[in-house]
Amino acid sequence: MRVLSSLRLLLPVFSVGLIAAACSGTSPSGFGTGGTGGTGGTGGTGGTGGSDGDGGTPVWTAPPEEDAGRLSADAGCAGVKSEATRSPVYMLLVLDGSGSMADDDKWTAATSALKQFFGQVQSSNDTSFGLGLTVFSDTDEATYGGNARIQVPIKFVDAAQASALDRRITGSNCDSFGPPFGPAPTGACPSDTTPTFQVLSAAYPNLASYAPTAPLQANGKKVLVVISDGVPNGGTSEQNQVVNLVRQQAARTPADLAITTFSVGVGLLNGDTTSYDPKFMGQIAQAGGTARTGCDVNNTSTASSMCHFQLTPGGSAQQLASDFLTAINAIRGMAASCEYSFTVPAGQTVDPNLVSVSFTENGATTEIPKSTTNGWEYDNPTQPTKVILVGGWCNQVKAASSGKVEVVLGCAPKVN
């Protein structure tokens, strides 16, 4: 039996195979394939766990003790591939369209990069990644109130979805509407307002209730990305409300209901927190579970040390757009799940002690250790359906530009 499969990753895309080891009747690996002639017949005697005379249904069982921990695909195990897929991700972009985004070419840079991003996602043809968009306080969002909608609902990004995303940000920015967020007078956008808490209070429930439609894969992770250059209307008080709200969403239970939040700050690092507050953007990342490793939320002058993704105007619009695209793609990679689902072929069982996981990149293969801190672990130790990469290995695989993950059943790992 041979079933081929591939794993679509967010960015980049990996091919993934689940190799079910099926060894010969003389191998001590724990797999047996009975011959057509039964015991002693022309097909030979089935190996440990094998079935004689029934066509050879392999069953994963423990090998003899002396072979444990030393068998792999190059030690007598043939490969049978089964389907393995990475858990899908549904991403909602929440973009600040207030008047200050028109300063320093910030809006042009952001929308130019987003359009490139939309095109990249469309080209990837990735049914494990859905994308949607909400823009607040711009000329195309005349009625926010307390019931903001996801303006471009999350979907698989085909040509129609990419076009819808593109249209939402094309020529939409002017200046924001004043309270109560009613239509702006003809030819004018008189005030600058950033109702961040109000927007997120509406966006999170909409994202929480989102259910994917085909061809987008089901049972995915929900992610929200805040892209803003300013502080909320309510100052420090509203900032605290936002941070608490983001933290609550990240802590939703059970874990598959949690919403992870990323933060992209766009603004000058000149210490003027009335126009841009990088510490607040870092606090959003911390509360949302996406603070970068080793970051300092109190560092408001060095972009590389900040907890959020920082975009600082001042260079060319082209460079800012490039930096923005790099940040969005990094977020897409970070949001990628490190959970790999697999399906054991019908009529077969797996011994959880006889599984190894490896990663191949640029022709070099490295076995990943089984570890709860830096390696891989099961979703369920006794009846596994997934292997989950954790720690540095999760980050390494997501950051790689290409590669292949293989899960080998029937052969114990060489590394611990």
Side-chain angles (χ1 to χ4, degrees):
M1 176 181 179
R2 186 172 294 274
V3 183
L4 299 179
S5 67
S6 64
L7 169 64
R8 292 189 177 93
L9 196 62
L10 296 186
L11 261 186
V13 176
F14 290 81
S15 63
V16 174
L18 174 66
I19 301 182
C23 303
S24 66
T26 57
S27 169
S29 70
F31 289 85
T33 303
T36 55
T39 304
T42 59
T45 302
T48 304
S51 176
D52 297 331
D54 62 358
T57 299
V59 178
W60 286 282
T61 57
E65 183 64 28
E66 62 270 22
D67 294 312
R70 290 289 170 254
L71 293 173
S72 64
D74 61 356
C77 295
V80 177
K81 292 186 178 180
S82 180
E83 183 177 2
T85 57
R86 171 166 265 165
S87 298
V89 171
Y90 316 130
M91 180 181 289
L92 175 62
L93 303 175
V94 178
L95 175 63
D96 182 354
S98 62
S100 58
M101 284 291 287
D103 299 336
D104 304 311
D105 290 321
K106 288 179 290 187
W107 177 264
T108 299
T111 54
S112 174
L114 284 174
K115 289 178 181 181
Q116 294 179 58
F117 178 61
F118 301 155
Q120 286 183 353
V121 179
Q122 180 191 349
S123 298
S124 71
N125 194 37
D126 188 354
T127 60
S128 71
F129 182 67
L131 185 63
L133 172 67
T134 284
V135 184
F136 67 94
S137 292
D138 77 327
T139 54
D140 287 347
E141 181 50 45
T143 53
Y144 232 95
N147 189 30
R149 66 190 185 282
I150 297 177
Q151 298 155 4
V152 183
I154 299 170
K155 293 181 181 178
F156 163 69
V157 184
D158 55 12
Q161 179 70 349
S163 178
L165 292 165
D166 187 281
R167 286 196 308 271
R168 179 61 188 87
I169 61 177
T170 298
S172 71
N173 191 59
C174 179
D175 204 341
S176 59
F177 307 121
F181 310 109
T186 302
C189 304
S191 66
D192 185 8
T193 184
T194 309
T196 311
F197 179 70
Q198 184 180 29
V199 171
L200 294 181
S201 293
Y204 279 124
N206 282 325
L207 181 55
S209 63
Y210 168 74
T213 57
L216 197 58
Q217 298 172 22
N219 302 317
K221 176 181 178 181
K222 295 175 179 178
V223 173
L224 187 143
V225 182
V226 179
I227 306 168
S228 178
D229 73 329
V231 298
N233 295 339
T236 301
S237 177
E238 187 173 351
Q239 287 179 340
N240 292 335
Q241 287 181 303
V242 168
V243 170
N244 288 334
L245 176 62
V246 171
R247 184 177 294 112
Q248 290 167 8
Q249 296 300 314
R252 287 166 58 99
T253 55
D256 58 356
L257 296 181
I259 297 177
T260 301
T261 301
F262 290 87
S263 170
V264 179
V266 188
L268 295 172
L269 301 176
N270 57 10
D272 180 10
T273 57
T274 62
S275 61
Y276 176 57
D277 190 345
K279 181 176 180 180
F280 168 58
M281 301 307 291
Q283 289 172 331
I284 291 178
Q286 277 191 327
T290 61
R292 294 188 290 182
T293 302
C295 71
D296 179 5
V297 73
N298 293 309
N299 189 318
T300 59
S301 60
T302 307
S304 60
S305 298
M306 294 177 181
C307 294
H308 64 286
F309 288 89
Q310 169 65 28
L311 298 174
T312 306
S316 68
Q318 182 178 6
Q319 182 60 50
L320 189 57
S322 175
D323 292 344
F324 190 99
L325 183 61
T326 298
I328 290 294
N329 277 327
I331 288 172
R332 188 186 183 196
M334 289 175 66
S337 170
C338 280
E339 297 184 1
Y340 292 80
S341 300
F342 60 85
T343 303
V344 178
Q348 301 172 357
T349 58
V350 60
D351 183 336
N353 296 315
L354 298 179
V355 174
S356 64
V357 180
S358 63
F359 177 60
T360 300
E361 184 182 21
N362 298 324
T365 299
T366 304
E367 185 170 336
I368 303 173
K370 189 171 186 295
S371 168
T372 58
T373 58
N374 185 25
W376 66 272
E377 59 185 348
Y378 289 117
D379 61 328
N380 183 321
T382 57
Q383 295 181 319
T385 61
K386 297 178 182 179
V387 293
I388 304 171
L389 303 186
V390 295
W393 269 107
C394 174
N395 296 331
Q396 179 178 334
V397 171
K398 289 196 297 185
S401 59
S402 63
K404 178 176 65 174
V405 172
E406 291 181 335
V407 181
V408 184
L409 303 179
C411 297
K414 294 180 180 180
V415 298
N416 296 312

